[in-house]
Amino acid sequence: MGYFVTVEPGVKLYVEDINPAGSKTIVFLHGWPLSHDQFEYQFDVLPGMGYRCIGIDWRGFGKSDRPYDGYNLERLADDIRAVVTALQLKDFVLGGHSTGGAIAIKYVVRYNGGGVSKLVLIDAAAPRGFTEENAAQLLKQTLNDRANMMLGVTNIFFFRYITKPFSDWFNQMGMEAAGWSTAAVIIMLRDFDLTSDLTRIQLPTLIVHGIHDQVIPFRQAEEMHRIIPHSRLVPFIYSGHGSFYDERDKFNQLMQEFIGAATG
């Protein structure tokens, strides 16, 4: 089921809550400039394994409200905290893809765990996001031809072949975001550095990263693994930036193994 949660006056986030009766909860944070829908092929499978799966659209993206401001890691982490509090979530697994991984890191550090029992970083944009050069190019494209920018992102996102209908669906997902939020997060990705935050993570952490990632290079996953105390790095050798789809069967099985068995 889907519903909206107020995170500050005038701003509501869309939440997709699948199998609320599941014995263990996984909260998914999508990547830029997508929505919770990117995890369709997890939501199709993991609830059947007994998990409660929650997808949250950040402000400005997907079905959530689209205010003009608030696009920094601290505010985005605070938004997640508001949802966690409203849903009274405890002892849950937090999984973040790409920029969602950066938000997940900021959340667990800012809130001293914040009820998270295990952390999953999926092709995460950490310790850093975009280079100044890449950010400048993406920002120019976003402000002049956002549809073409999104097509370019799709073209380098996956390692395995995707069909044209899948590509069209993926592009449309990115276009659901506001143009201003898409641009603001590019600037955020250009400017942050989470190196010091990584040293403060004390949770069991699974790092999943495609070795062919053209968005966030695999070397950054290796750097995270060196810095995060209790981390495990699993390279996905047939994946690009979309390991959750490129090797979805392996990904879903790995999630089950890392989180622990749940009764269906």
Side-chain angles (χ1 to χ4, degrees):
M1 60 180 176
Y3 45 80
F4 290 89
V5 173
T6 299
V7 296
E8 68 175 6
V11 180
K12 296 180 181 179
L13 298 194
Y14 180 77
V15 177
E16 191 76 37
D17 194 346
I18 307 162
N19 190 27
S23 60
K24 294 187 178 183
T25 299
I26 312 170
V27 175
F28 288 90
L29 303 181
H30 63 83
W32 170 92
L34 305 171
S35 74
H36 77 279
D37 284 331
Q38 77 169 78
F39 294 111
E40 175 172 338
Y41 298 93
Q42 282 65 58
F43 297 154
D44 286 348
V45 174
L46 294 175
M49 296 179 178
Y51 300 106
R52 178 188 186 185
C53 291
I54 296 174
I56 303 173
D57 289 348
W58 325 332
R59 64 171 61 206
F61 295 83
K63 298 177 182 177
S64 290
D65 286 344
R66 310 194 299 177
Y68 192 72
D69 55 10
Y71 301 101
N72 57 77
L73 282 179
E74 291 76 14
R75 178 65 253 183
L76 294 172
D78 291 348
D79 287 351
I80 302 306
R81 183 59 178 173
V83 174
V84 168
T85 300
L87 273 57
Q88 300 181 334
L89 300 180
K90 298 178 181 178
D91 191 30
F92 63 95
V93 177
L94 182 61
H97 172 257
S98 194
T99 309
I103 297 170
I105 291 166
K106 182 59 71 174
Y107 175 84
V108 299
V109 171
R110 190 168 173 84
Y111 289 101
N112 193 29
V116 177
S117 58
K118 293 183 178 181
L119 179 64
V120 183
L121 301 175
I122 311 154
D123 304 296
R128 291 160 295 279
F130 295 147
T131 64
E132 288 193 16
E133 180 181 7
N134 287 343
Q137 181 181 10
L138 287 167
L139 189 59
K140 181 179 180 180
Q141 292 175 334
T142 296
L143 296 176
N144 290 280
D145 189 346
R146 186 163 63 99
N148 192 51
M149 181 280 295
M150 187 62 214
L151 179 60
V153 169
T154 301
N155 286 342
I156 65 169
F157 205 95
F158 301 98
F159 178 67
R160 292 182 182 271
Y161 169 78
I162 59 172
T163 64
K164 187 179 185 304
F166 183 95
S167 176
D168 292 343
W169 168 75
F170 198 77
N171 289 339
Q172 184 57 41
M173 193 191 315
M175 293 303 294
E176 290 176 359
W180 57 86
S181 57
T182 301
V185 172
I186 292 173
I187 295 170
M188 181 189 82
L189 284 162
R190 179 195 67 192
D191 293 344
F192 72 66
D193 187 332
L194 291 171
T195 303
S196 61
D197 294 79
L198 296 179
T199 65
R200 297 171 58 190
I201 296 174
Q202 298 299 318
L203 298 170
T205 302
L206 174 65
I207 302 169
V208 173
H209 212 105
I211 67 171
H212 303 284
D213 195 330
Q214 297 184 60
V215 181
I216 303 297
F218 182 74
R219 63 177 179 274
Q220 292 194 201
E222 295 175 315
E223 185 177 358
M224 282 192 293
H225 180 44
R226 288 193 298 268
I227 298 173
I228 299 175
H230 308 287
S231 64
R232 173 191 175 196
L233 171 60
V234 180
F236 272 40
I237 62 174
Y238 301 109
S239 290
H241 193 54
S243 58
F244 60 92
Y245 182 77
D246 275 328
E247 296 182 78
R248 50 199 173 276
D249 292 340
K250 175 181 176 179
F251 179 88
N252 292 338
Q253 183 62 37
L254 183 61
M255 287 287 285
Q256 183 184 37
E257 292 171 0
F258 178 67
I259 296 167
T263 56

